[in-house]
Amino acid sequence: MLDRILDRLEEALIASFLAAATLVIFLSVLHRYSLGVSWLWPYTGRISFTWAQELAIYLFIWMAKFGAAYGVRTGIHVGVDVLVRRLPPRRQRFFIQFSLAAGAFFTFVVAALGLRFVLFIHDSGQVSPDLELPMWIVYLAVPLGSGLMCYRFLQVLVRYRRTGVQPSHHYGAAP
Amino acid sequence: MSAFVIFAILFALLFTGMPISIALGLTVLAFLALVSSLSLETIAIVSQKLFTGLDNFVIMSIPLFVLSGAFLSAGGAARRIIRFATTLVGWMHGGLAMAAVLSCAFFAAISGSSPATVVAIGSIMLPAMVEQGYTKKFSVGVLATSGGLGILIPPSIVLVVYGVSTSESIGKLFIAGIVPGIVMALALLAVTYGVARRYDFPTLPRASLGEVWRAFREAAWGLVLGVVVIGGIYGGLFTPTEAAAVSAVYAFFVAVFVYRELPLRKVPQVLLEAANMSAMLLYIITNSILFSFLLTTENIPQQLAQWIIDQGLSPWMFLLFVNVLLFFAGDFMEPSSIILILAPLFLPVAVQLGIDPVHLGIIMTINMELGMITPPVGLNLYVASGLAKMGLTEVTRAAAPWILVVTVVLLLVTYVPAISLWLPNLLYSRP
């Protein structure tokens, strides 16, 4: 149940961040060109889009960090599996579990490093140049995203041990 | 020495089958922990790189190009492009096969990914070709190979990745991809025509000018996107990232309101699929930025460049070495990872030997196309085998003759730099 809420939350988050970032960049382009139109001045002249690029980058980074976790669940992170595929099933099982564990280990280390970094930035009181957002909130994407990714690797590992299936992504499975 | 250790760790990890991105990241961690003294400073830098690595507006064109491709694929652009291409070349020998190649070239001009091109065109063209009596083997070979045009004809995600990792101008790279893309498309068309004549493949009735025009008007909604992106970047109307955002919004508009094949309720699914794909690419990019940071602090690209220069390699020998190395790398890994790992290593050598970085980028991209149709890890082959419900070995055999065609074009583009450099030099050399 909790897992299902987490799944939907993750999906909603990355889809809307991607959409929002795209719109922000699009609107800033539109705004820049509308400034050349004199009769629009009363409407557009007052709005400033200097923050747009920064906001878009932050949205994309958040999308990327959480999307990477979603990707573990959908099996989109591919590796070089030509050798492993030729092994006898027992050894193959070992390597698949090893890879998943390695993924969990790496993302855990990154989450820990990221958390340390967030705490460090928090103490420095740094804010972003245009939006003046506290930087530690922005950087929170690293520990949160990587932490979630670690959880996903463990989840896939547990499921693989239980059922012997791991998710695999197919091109063209899109609607 | 450290170069040897780093690559030994990387290869050992890669061949366990773990995700390439994880292998890259773990290599950095392992090297820092085992070999170099793990100072607090390096840890701080590493954790900062995890974020700031992506803090780059150019990189953000990747998710946007993925998104715009996703909207076009879901929105029925492929079907209209195919209809237009069929009215153009359908009457020739092997008409439908010729149309398949041409459709891939057109679709490549609005999409930046090869597998996406294979799926978009192949899912419609493959059943149609088989129904017309083409062998499955021939159809799959044509489609898997022509789909490779997706990363050569701009916009191209692989060229963006190359631009990011070498700080080369994306606009210049895109423009440089145009002529080689056309050369490759013509080569594929010519070979298809030759085979079709020899085996007397069926032709389609000639379309009237009116039909061509109507098909063109329908397809133009999608095709105009390529013109907007390339024209807009070159004309200085917008940056590559802005161009990608404009094309994503435009593609959404065309798919939902003009072609009306994508109902609004399915939009979140398209967004999610695009986010999934691009987050995967961005994750590889983050970790390879970490990896190349390690290489640079250990001074490896410079050492390697020096070593190769000391061997007295001439430019053509170096390029041949690049071709061969990439051919084998391309057999095991997908394009973006290879470019991210190898481009920073090749670039210093190329620059010393007087090879234009833009030319190197195009060479690497065509080499990647070759990798995508060469087993065991040919991404296009995987996709095509999924579409055709054929085993991978069969599909591999189907693509084999085409590997030769792509190799010939690769060698041509490698040793005749003018094919890649003529157009960008012409356009970007303002007095």
Side-chain angles (χ1 to χ4, degrees), chain B residues 19-152:
Chain B
I20 295 168
S21 40
I22 301 287
L24 285 166
L26 276 177
T27 306
V28 176
L29 286 188
F31 184 79
L32 289 180
L34 295 175
V35 183
S36 107
S37 49
L38 199 60
S39 69
L40 285 175
E41 248 169 287
T42 31
I43 292 186
I45 293 173
V46 165
S47 41
Q48 191 175 9
K49 284 263 168 212
L50 289 170
F51 187 90
T52 52
L54 285 185
D55 193 352
N56 173 339
F57 199 54
V58 178
I59 295 181
M60 298 313 156
S61 63
I62 294 170
L64 293 166
F65 278 128
V66 172
L67 181 61
S68 106
F71 276 130
L72 285 172
S73 302
R79 198 156 49 76
R80 291 166 175 86
I81 284 173
I82 288 171
R83 196 181 304 145
F84 173 52
T86 310
T87 60
L88 284 182
V89 292
W91 51 274
M92 297 165 120
H93 280 278
L96 209 55
M98 301 282 280
V101 178
L102 197 59
S103 308
C104 284
F106 284 153
F107 198 80
I110 55 175
S111 144
S113 143
S114 279
T117 306
V118 178
V119 171
I121 303 298
S123 56
I124 303 170
M125 255 335 199
L126 194 68
M129 286 174 76
V130 172
E131 194 182 321
Q132 256 224 344
Y134 290 86
T135 59
K136 234 180 183 181
K137 194 177 147 189
F138 180 76
S139 319
V140 164
V142 168
L143 285 163
T145 312
S146 318
L149 290 168
I151 57 169
L152 183 56

Side-chain angles (χ1 to χ4, degrees), chain A residues 5 7 11 14 24-25 27 44 55-56 58 93 96 100 116 125 127 172:
Chain A
I5 296 175
D7 286 3
E11 288 163 12
I14 59 180
V24 166
I25 300 177
L27 289 177
T44 56
L55 176 63
Y58 293 161
R93 274 183 71 91
I96 289 174
L100 291 170
R116 257 183 53 120
V127 293

